[in-house]
């Protein structure tokens, strides 16, 4: 019916001439192209700069290609007995490990908060929600003292464990469990005699997968980008994630062009997996989960 | 609250369909929540508690020891808070952050909203490509973003300056003291634009197309539709993005820290969190740093609560 009225409206020569947006001006597209160009320009720069030899970095035009790409790569991967490879491995441990554990913990908690009624549920949820608003970074220094108290500073655990708890992820999992899991289905499983954990694992978890992918991605990018926590917790360069390693290169490179070019080519290399991940996984994002969360 | 009071005649949100006698094993939800609760207590509650305790103590050389006694922890009440709040360096860092926030928050949200509305227009060509391009910086760590922008800002490697000096104009220096806050703000806007845009765009897509079609038939221009229909409809996602922008801005740390090696206009106490870190680890004033951290956390919580309250009141009134 709507389409019928629509067509009638579009063809009828009414008093008010209906605008035909489909043949609209190119200005909106032009603005978006400019926006995309602005967003991509530093990436163009880093691609170009990573091809420059240390001598070329400050002497040739910024966006002109250089001749040192392969030797830059070689320096990057051989520097300090291949510490760059450790940084890549560490980043994977922190981001991948932290995110997988976080999704598990959050899915369990979100499911419980969404699908059970039990004393203390609302209080717990409110306290968790308060946790969303607490700036993680203001927590980092006190977290350092707690970790130092536990004797865990300068270990993988110091960076990994604080990342596993994410009130925001729990909140999203609860929103998604509420909207996607039918209570009748869970009841039916209970009547069939299934245990609570096997209901969660065999029924709830598979249904929650699309939401969990989103939670995973958001958290993965968050942990990958985290800087202050590893900066505080770690002093052993072998344990650094990429962000911290590159920062150290840059800050010790003051005036030394060799370290600048190594840091730049390192930035370029570390962006490749992120960009690939982003392009590949974009279609699996269900960000309406986030906008929908506020109404609930 | 509602779950604890067992008053059967009151229907609970219309969920009467779940009969009471099928209440599942009461221990299961607690077991499911256990890992989250343990980690929450260990890594959120304990650090906050510890920071508050630290902030109430000070390192004092005991009186009467002639200055030779070992320093010991003494209870000093709110002294550290008074010292923090009256410290000119802290006040200056808050001022800089305020200026930064005034640039970052409206620019990020405004431009993100503009892009989301443009993407939602009928007849945009290549929308998916532009959207991906604008979203990409979100995945890039702040440290790397600051490094890339830092070189784009440096007079010797700036492509803008290459063009400017090429045509005989004076070179610009974004990292000079007068513009460094704007230069930092640009990095933040660049990094968070796409994510906010996608959230707003997703909210726009959730609105049934019939709403717009009806308005178009009534002769509304796309601009009218955007201002009068779309923006009010996606108000909840605007609240959410404002909240993220606010919290994110108060936490500004990685970008200015990563830019420091490239310029001397960014001090080690440039933003409040940098001041906390410098106090704790360079100046060895852990108690003072804890007090400052508690102030920042409290302020964030208060600002978020006020933002949520204000916007809720407004949406109730309309």
């Amino acid at each position: 019916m709507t389409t019928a009225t629509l067509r009638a409206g579009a063809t009828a020569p009414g008093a008010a001439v209906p605008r035909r947006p489909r043949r609209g001006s190119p200005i909106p597209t032009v603005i978006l192209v400019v926006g995309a160009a602005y967003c991509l320009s530093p990436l163009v720069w880093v691609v170009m700069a990573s091809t420059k030899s240390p001598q070329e970095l400050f002497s040739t035009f910024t966006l002109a290609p250089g001749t040192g790409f392969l030797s830059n790569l070689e320096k990057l991967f051989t520097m300090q007995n291949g510490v760059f490879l450790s940084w890549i491995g560490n980043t994977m441990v922190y981001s991948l490990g932290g995110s997988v554990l976080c999704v598990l913990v959050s899915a369990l908690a979100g499911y419980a908060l969404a699908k059970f009624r039990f004393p203390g549920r609302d209080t717990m949820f409110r306290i968790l929600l308060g946790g969303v608003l607490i700036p993680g970074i203001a927590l980092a220094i006190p977290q350092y003292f707690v970790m130092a108290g536990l004797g865990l500073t300068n270990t993988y655990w110091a960076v990994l464990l604080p990342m596993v708890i994410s009130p925001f992820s729990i909140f999203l999992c609860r929103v998604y469990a509420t909207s996607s899991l039918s209570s009748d289905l869970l009841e039916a499983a209970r009547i069939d005699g299934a245990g609570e954990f096997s209901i969660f694992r065999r029924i709830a978890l598979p249904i929650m997968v699309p939401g969990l992918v989103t939670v995973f991605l958001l958290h993965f990018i968050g942990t990958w980008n985290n800087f202050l926590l590893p900066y505080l917790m770690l002093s052993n360069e072998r344990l650094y994630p990429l962000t911290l390693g590159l920062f150290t290169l840059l800050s010790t490179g003051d005036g030394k062009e060799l370290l600048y070019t190594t840091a730049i080519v390192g930035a370029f290399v570390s962006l490749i997996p992120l960009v690939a991940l982003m392009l590949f996984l974009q279609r699996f994002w269900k960000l309406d989960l986030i906008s929908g969360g506020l109404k609930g | 609250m509602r779950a604890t009071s067992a008053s059967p005649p009151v229907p609970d949100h219309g969920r009467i369909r779940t009969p009471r006698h099928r209440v599942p094993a009461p221990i299961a939800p607690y077991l499911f929540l256990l890992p989250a609760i343990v980690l929450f207590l260990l890594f959120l509650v304990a650090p906050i508690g510890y920071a508050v305790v630290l902030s109430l103590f000070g390192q004092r050389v005991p009186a009467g020891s002639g200055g030779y006694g070992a320093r010991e922890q003494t209870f000093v009440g709110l002294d550290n808070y008074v010292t923090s709040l009256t410290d000119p360096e802290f006040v200056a860092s808050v001022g800089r952050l305020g200026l930064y926030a005034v640039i970052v928050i409206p620019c990020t949200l405004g431009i993100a909203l503009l892009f989301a509305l443009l993407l939602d227009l009928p007849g945009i060509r290549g929308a998916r490509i532009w959207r991906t391009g604008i979203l990409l910086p979100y995945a890039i760590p702040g440290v790397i973003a600051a490094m890339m922008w830092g070189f784009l800002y440096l007079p010797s490697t700036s492509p803008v300056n290459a063009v400017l000096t090429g045509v005989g104009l004076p070179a610009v220096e974004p990292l000079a003291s007068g513009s460094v806050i704007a230069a930092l703000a640009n990095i933040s806007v660049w990094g968070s634009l796409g994510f906010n845009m996608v959230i707003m765009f997703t909210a726009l897509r959730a609105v049934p197309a019939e709403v717009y079609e009806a308005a178009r038939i009534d002769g509304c221009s796309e601009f009218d539709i955007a201002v009068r229909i779309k923006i009010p409809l996606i108000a909840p996602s605007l609240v959410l993005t404002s909240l993220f922008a606010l919290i994110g801005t108060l936490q500004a740390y990685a970008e200015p820290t990563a830019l420091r090696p490239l310029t001397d206009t960014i001090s080690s106490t440039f933003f409040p969190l940098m001041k906390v870190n410098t106090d704790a680890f360079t100046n060895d004033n852990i108690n003072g740093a804890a007090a400052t951290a508690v102030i920042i956390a409290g302020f964030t919580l208060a600002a978020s609560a006020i933002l949520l309250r204000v916007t809720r009141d407004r949406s109730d009134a309309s």
Side-chain angles (χ1 to χ4, degrees):
Chain A
M1 196 190 110
T2 338
T3 41
T5 25
L6 210 181
R7 276 196 202 108
T11 45
V17 179
R19 300 216 178 179
R20 299 304 314 272
R22 262 158 242 286
R23 300 247 166 254
S25 82
I27 293 171
T29 310
V30 171
I31 298 173
L32 285 170
V33 172
V34 171
Y38 160 71
C39 287
L40 296 176
S41 56
L43 299 177
V44 173
W45 177 83
V46 83
V47 172
M48 286 308 170
S50 62
T51 65
K52 288 177 197 281
S53 71
Q55 297 78 35
E56 288 164 339
L57 183 64
F58 292 101
S59 62
T60 58
F61 176 61
T62 327
L63 297 178
T67 55
F69 184 58
L70 289 178
S71 72
N72 288 344
L73 275 183
E74 195 194 327
K75 272 175 220 140
L76 177 71
F77 282 98
T78 54
M79 146 191 89
Q80 297 169 46
N81 299 318
V83 76
F84 187 74
L85 281 172
S86 322
W87 294 346
I88 294 179
N90 296 339
T91 303
M92 294 314 280
V93 170
Y94 298 135
S95 317
L96 210 59
S99 306
V100 167
L101 291 174
C102 171
V103 166
L104 271 176
V105 168
S106 306
L108 277 166
Y111 170 72
L113 289 170
K115 288 291 158 191
F116 288 93
R117 313 257 209 83
F118 54 91
R121 182 185 74 161
D122 291 5
T123 315
M124 267 184 214
F125 182 61
R126 265 175 218 150
I127 294 172
L128 275 173
L129 211 55
V132 175
L133 298 178
I134 291 173
I137 298 189
L139 274 176
I141 289 176
Q143 276 173 343
Y144 168 80
F145 294 124
V146 170
M147 279 300 176
L150 295 172
L152 290 175
T153 45
N154 227 1
T155 66
Y156 280 116
W157 299 112
V159 178
L160 198 59
L161 286 178
M163 305 268 203
V164 176
I165 181 73
S166 158
F168 185 56
S169 301
I170 297 176
F171 172 69
L172 289 180
C173 285
R174 178 183 176 269
V175 170
Y176 196 72
T178 308
S179 67
S180 68
L181 292 174
S182 115
S183 297
D184 295 344
L185 180 68
L186 303 176
E187 285 303 324
R190 262 173 214 134
I191 292 166
D192 289 347
E196 288 302 333
F197 186 72
S198 86
I199 293 176
F200 172 75
R201 197 170 58 84
R202 297 219 207 124
I203 300 171
L205 211 51
I207 297 176
M208 285 171 73
V209 161
L212 297 183
V213 170
T214 306
V215 174
F216 174 84
L217 277 175
L218 289 171
H219 198 69
F220 185 86
I221 289 177
T223 45
W224 186 289
N225 292 356
N226 198 338
F227 171 69
L228 184 59
L229 192 69
Y231 183 67
L232 294 177
M233 297 287 182
L234 305 173
S235 54
N236 178 356
E237 289 202 354
R238 286 274 156 190
L239 298 176
Y240 282 5
L242 278 167
T243 48
L244 187 53
L246 291 174
F247 169 74
T248 320
L249 269 187
L250 191 71
S251 54
T252 52
D254 197 7
K256 299 183 204 103
E257 275 123 28
L258 179 66
L259 287 180
Y260 275 167
T261 47
T262 312
I264 290 166
V265 79
F268 169 67
V269 171
S270 67
L271 289 181
I272 295 171
L274 273 181
V275 170
L277 185 82
M278 194 76 173
L279 295 179
F280 176 67
L281 288 175
Q282 229 207 119
R283 67 197 66 192
F284 301 110
W285 285 51
K286 291 185 60 73
L287 285 175
D288 46 331
L289 181 59
I290 301 178
S291 338
L294 210 72
K295 294 173 209 148
Chain B
M1 301 287 155
R2 201 173 287 112
T4 49
S5 61
S7 44
V10 183
D12 189 301
H13 276 302
R15 283 188 211 144
I16 336 159
R17 278 202 285 157
T18 315
R20 282 287 151 106
H21 64 270
R22 281 187 212 151
V23 168
I27 197 178
Y30 296 104
L31 287 178
F32 285 176
L33 275 162
L34 191 65
I37 292 171
V38 170
L39 291 166
F40 190 83
L41 290 175
L42 208 53
F43 297 114
L44 270 104
V45 178
I48 294 170
Y50 192 51
V52 171
V53 170
L54 274 177
S55 72
L56 299 174
F57 283 82
Q59 313 262 348
R60 296 284 158 84
V61 177
S65 65
Y68 292 106
R71 295 199 303 174
E72 58 183 39
Q73 295 277 355
T74 39
F75 184 79
V76 296
L78 297 177
D79 281 8
N80 288 321
Y81 289 89
V82 174
T83 313
S84 279
L85 289 170
T86 53
D87 181 344
E89 273 190 2
F90 179 68
V91 174
S93 74
V94 171
R96 287 186 210 104
L97 187 71
L99 185 57
Y100 173 79
V102 166
I103 306 172
V104 168
I105 298 176
C107 283
T108 308
L109 297 179
I111 300 173
L113 180 63
L114 172 73
F115 285 164
L117 289 169
L118 291 177
L119 282 174
D120 196 46
L121 283 178
I124 291 289
R125 276 183 219 118
R128 179 179 281 265
I129 299 170
W130 317 132
R131 197 181 72 199
T132 307
I134 296 168
L135 181 62
L136 218 46
Y138 164 65
I140 294 172
V143 172
I144 296 180
M147 185 195 291
M148 297 193 299
W149 278 106
F151 281 101
L152 287 171
Y153 289 155
L154 279 185
S156 54
T157 51
S158 160
V160 176
N161 280 347
V163 174
L164 285 178
T165 51
V167 295
L169 288 167
V172 290
E173 280 188 65
L175 290 176
S177 59
S179 55
V180 69
I181 290 180
L184 282 167
N186 173 58
I187 303 177
S188 171
V189 172
W190 176 82
S192 50
L193 195 58
F195 183 68
N196 289 291
M197 176 193 76
V198 168
I199 291 186
M200 294 174 190
F201 178 70
T202 313
L204 282 172
R205 280 289 140 120
V207 178
E210 287 84 4
V211 176
Y212 306 139
E213 300 297 359
R216 277 183 201 123
I217 291 163
D218 288 346
C220 273
S221 69
E222 291 298 330
F223 182 78
D224 289 335
I225 292 176
V227 173
R228 303 221 188 126
I229 304 176
K230 290 185 177 178
I231 295 178
L233 276 178
I234 62 164
S237 67
L238 296 179
V239 173
L240 194 74
T241 45
S242 315
L243 197 62
F244 286 154
L246 182 72
I247 297 176
T249 307
L250 290 172
Q251 302 193 30
Y253 183 86
E255 290 87 349
T257 305
L259 265 187
R260 286 193 65 211
L262 295 178
T263 173
D264 48 16
T265 53
I266 300 174
S267 65
S268 64
T269 57
F270 195 76
F271 280 164
L273 274 171
M274 297 167 74
K275 160 99 175 118
V276 173
N277 198 17
T278 305
D279 278 350
F281 297 99
T282 311
N283 300 340
D284 202 20
N285 177 12
I286 285 164
N287 304 95
T292 314
V294 171
I295 292 170
I296 297 169
F299 183 76
T300 312
L301 215 56
S304 312
I306 292 168
L307 178 73
L308 283 176
R309 175 62 57 86
V310 167
T311 46
R312 185 173 300 166
D313 286 351
R314 189 166 297 169
S315 59
D316 284 349
S318 65

